[in-house]
Amino acid sequence: MKYTIYALVDPNTREVRYVGQTGLTVAKRLQCHLWTARKDARPVYAWMRGLLPAVPIIIILQEIERPAGPVTPGDNSVLRAEIKWMKRFERSPLLCSISRDSRAYRELVNR
């Protein structure tokens, strides 16, 4: 299965505001984000509502092929790639669901 690490970029400032991962196409994932933003209170969705009528620009950062089937406990390659890209944009005001203060972030970013 193909996973995509993507960024949502502010169309006004050109800053990366969100890094995520998906097994969907990026167009479909953006549509999911826009749908969720209608009612969800999380900061990323408040930011998206504040852009209206504009929408974020979605950019593919990396594509990862992973065998289909359940994820084994040691296989965190997609999560590692997502965190790697978060680290690359650490000076940006990211609104990601993975906190930079979380244990998962600290463990994976220091590998």
Side-chain angles (χ1 to χ4, degrees):
M1 180 170 186
K2 182 173 84 171
Y3 287 86
T4 302
I5 308 301
Y6 65 93
L8 295 180
V9 177
D10 189 305
N12 302 312
T13 66
R14 302 293 193 242
E15 288 182 307
V16 172
R17 298 304 310 271
Y18 183 87
V19 173
Q21 60 173 284
T22 187
L24 304 172
T25 65
V26 291
K28 181 71 174 170
R29 184 63 185 117
L30 180 58
Q31 288 301 94
C32 292
H33 275 301
L34 295 172
W35 178 262
T36 304
R38 295 172 41 191
K39 295 186 179 182
D40 197 305
R42 286 180 281 180
V44 66
Y45 297 120
W47 163 70
M48 290 174 77
R49 285 191 302 276
L51 294 175
L52 292 172
V55 296
I57 300 165
I58 191 164
I59 297 173
I60 295 173
L61 300 173
Q62 182 178 353
E63 292 180 332
I64 301 166
E65 283 292 332
R66 208 189 129 296
V71 176
T72 59
D75 181 10
N76 53 10
S77 57
V78 177
L79 179 60
R80 263 198 328 268
E82 181 182 6
I83 289 174
K84 171 190 78 173
W85 283 100
M86 285 176 64
K87 177 128 175 79
R88 287 188 180 173
F89 294 109
E90 69 184 347
R91 292 185 182 183
S92 298
L94 294 179
L95 302 168
C96 300
S97 57
I98 299 172
S99 167
R100 291 176 176 156
D101 297 327
S102 73
R103 180 178 173 204
Y105 181 86
R106 286 191 315 270
E107 285 178 359
L108 290 172
V109 84
N110 292 322
R111 285 188 169 189

